[in-house]
Amino acid sequence: MAFSADELRVLRRALATALHPTPLSDEDVQDCLRLAGSVDEAVGEAGRLRAFLLADLARYRNALPGSATGYLELLQDALAAGYDPRPDDLAALRALRGSPLAAALLERCQVLAERSVRARLAGRSAGLAAPGPRSRLLALPGGRAAAREPDRPRTPAAPGNPQKPGDRPMPKPSEVFPPRRRPAPPPSEERAAG
């Protein structure tokens, strides 16, 4: 993504304000909002371009083996843009592996597909959700944020344990580790005498 000179000026001011919060003028707030809109537009355009590239890649893959040259070029471009190869791509490359380029791409795609699967499994086992879409810029510090959330009353810290703002109290062991339940004794079997 490339920024114009004006956009870089706005970005530099926004970063300086983030590092050293000072009140912003209405003009600065409007400049930041315009820059955020431009970035959102560029992200949307990149998404549309990616969708077009993937649709084109699918068309070439469906026209194989006649479109092998175009398919291999498009696949290289898609991989450079961060595309995770699909099973259809691996199957198509296996069918084309007589070509040195297709054989090299097959090796690369197998490594990328394995990494992708491992990353998804690691994310799933850790209970991580996929990142959501980028949220809109709603407020800037020192800008028109006059309607701030009212300050909450703070609880005084214990005399021997001063708390910093934002610290949570230390949980008790009984809150972290619930009491253990004793295992039930096995049912006694009565043996009938002979």
Side-chain angles (χ1 to χ4, degrees):
M1 181 180 298
F3 291 104
S4 70
D6 286 338
E7 289 172 334
L8 283 175
R9 181 181 48 79
V10 171
L11 186 60
R12 187 179 310 127
R13 274 197 330 243
L15 291 173
T17 301
L19 291 173
H20 305 287
T22 58
L24 292 175
S25 68
D26 285 346
E27 182 184 343
D28 289 342
V29 171
Q30 289 302 317
D31 288 344
C32 288
L33 290 174
R34 273 193 295 276
L35 179 62
S38 296
V39 169
D40 287 341
E41 185 179 325
V43 167
E45 185 63 32
R48 286 189 291 278
L49 182 61
R50 180 177 170 82
F52 175 78
L53 176 65
L54 295 180
D56 213 16
L57 182 66
R59 278 193 296 277
Y60 274 80
R61 185 177 51 237
N62 292 335
L64 286 173
S67 63
T69 305
Y71 171 71
L72 295 175
E73 288 175 11
L74 281 175
L75 183 60
Q76 283 179 320
D77 292 344
L79 292 174
Y83 172 70
D84 282 332
R86 298 184 178 148
D88 294 342
D89 295 310
L90 296 174
L93 289 172
R94 284 187 193 105
L96 297 171
R97 76 178 130 193
S99 157
L101 178 58
L105 278 174
L106 177 61
E107 282 183 36
R108 182 176 173 197
C109 286
Q110 285 173 334
V111 169
L112 291 174
E114 184 177 328
R115 280 186 200 155
S116 176
V117 168
R118 287 182 189 212
R120 278 184 290 194
L121 290 176
R124 193 175 298 155
S125 68
L128 300 176
R134 188 172 83 81
S135 62
R136 301 266 318 151
L137 178 64
L138 298 177
L140 295 171
R144 291 192 213 169
R148 288 183 28 206
E149 183 179 315
D151 291 336
R152 292 182 219 148
R154 297 178 188 245
T155 56
N161 185 13
Q163 287 186 344
K164 297 175 192 161
D167 281 354
R168 294 188 296 167
M170 181 71 79
K172 298 178 199 168
S174 62
E175 294 172 343
V176 177
F177 303 105
R180 274 201 246 168
R181 295 185 183 177
R182 295 184 183 196
S188 60
E189 295 180 15
E190 294 182 19
R191 295 189 181 174

